[in-house]
Amino acid sequence: MISDTNEIIEKVLIDEDSLNVRIKKLASQINDHYKDEDTLIMVAILKGSVMFMAELAKHIKLDINLEFMAVSSYDSGTISSGNVKILKDLDTDIKDKNVLLVEDIIDTGHTLLKLRNNLEKRDPKDIKIVTLLDKPERREVDIKPDWYGFKIPNEFVVGFGLDYDQKYRNLPYIGILKRSVYEG
């Protein structure tokens, strides 16, 4: 149980209202991009992007199919191991379909690059990437989101779906986790 967020959160980086406003703007940009299309397959990368996708999907003006993939690259630490494993694959065929990869955060980019390459082999009509958070200074591979919510500094963040050791996903904001939580 999270009794006092002051014990774990160094600083609120993005408050709940700011998240909601920006997600509506992202949805508007995505609606404009797909204005001549009928359907969109939104693929959430579990577990971190579920809250983001749920909020984003409320504002998408197309018929959408919600899909989920489970991908792991962290081994319960704070730094990506670079070893990307697909734990749960899509249930839907994406051939000739518009696919929107919905990510919580792009850090090094290794996970998303491997995932996008995997999905491109399935011959979709289009693959675009939307991420809530982007850490460009940490990027180790050449991948960029088509849309992003916020560029953030190189800090370990939790909340609104993002976790540390499966905790703190349910915070309604994005906060910087105190180092004492994950180093002590």
Side-chain angles (χ1 to χ4, degrees):
M1 175 195 265
I2 302 172
S3 57
D4 183 6
T5 56
N6 290 330
E7 293 177 17
I8 59 162
I9 301 298
E10 180 179 315
K11 171 181 157 188
V12 173
L13 191 61
I14 306 164
D15 64 50
E16 187 174 7
D17 288 340
S18 297
L19 285 168
N20 291 330
V21 166
R22 184 64 183 131
I23 290 169
K24 285 178 185 174
K25 286 182 182 174
L26 286 171
S28 177
Q29 293 170 339
I30 292 165
N31 286 328
D32 286 348
H33 178 77
Y34 290 109
K35 67 181 181 252
D36 297 326
E37 301 293 333
D38 295 325
T39 60
L40 179 64
I41 298 175
M42 295 178 71
V43 179
I45 312 306
L46 296 174
K47 299 176 188 171
S49 65
V50 170
M51 289 180 151
F52 174 44
M53 183 164 85
E55 195 58 37
L56 184 65
K58 291 179 194 178
H59 306 286
I60 298 294
K61 307 286 187 224
L62 301 158
D63 287 331
I64 57 174
N65 181 347
L66 301 180
E67 277 290 328
F68 302 90
M69 292 185 81
V71 181
S72 176
S73 68
Y74 276 87
D75 301 334
S76 81
T78 60
I79 299 172
S80 177
S81 67
N83 181 21
V84 179
K85 298 177 271 190
I86 294 177
L87 306 174
K88 184 216 174 295
D89 210 337
L90 298 176
D91 295 327
T92 301
D93 180 11
I94 62 169
K95 185 173 174 51
D96 299 322
K97 306 266 176 52
N98 291 306
V99 175
L100 179 64
L101 283 174
V102 182
E103 184 63 288
D104 55 356
I105 187 168
I106 303 177
D107 196 338
T108 64
H110 289 286
T111 300
L112 199 55
L113 182 62
K114 180 170 183 177
L115 190 56
R116 187 184 67 191
N117 290 343
N118 178 294
L119 294 177
E120 283 175 343
K121 293 175 186 172
R122 303 177 198 193
D123 298 321
K125 180 177 181 182
D126 183 49
I127 294 180
K128 297 290 185 206
I129 298 167
V130 61
T131 187
L132 181 60
L133 305 175
D134 189 15
K135 275 192 202 177
E137 71 184 79
R138 291 267 301 140
R139 198 82 77 246
E140 294 177 359
V141 296
D142 186 22
I143 191 161
K144 293 180 182 141
D146 296 283
W147 300 280
Y148 66 89
F150 301 89
K151 287 193 181 192
I152 64 168
N154 187 20
E155 298 284 353
F156 193 80
V157 293
V158 295
F160 203 73
L162 291 102
D163 75 302
Y164 167 66
D165 201 21
Q166 300 301 320
K167 298 176 192 159
Y168 317 123
R169 291 186 194 278
N170 58 323
L171 296 173
Y173 56 82
I174 303 292
I176 297 173
L177 191 64
K178 286 185 177 180
R179 289 190 179 276
S180 61
V181 175
Y182 58 91
E183 289 180 350

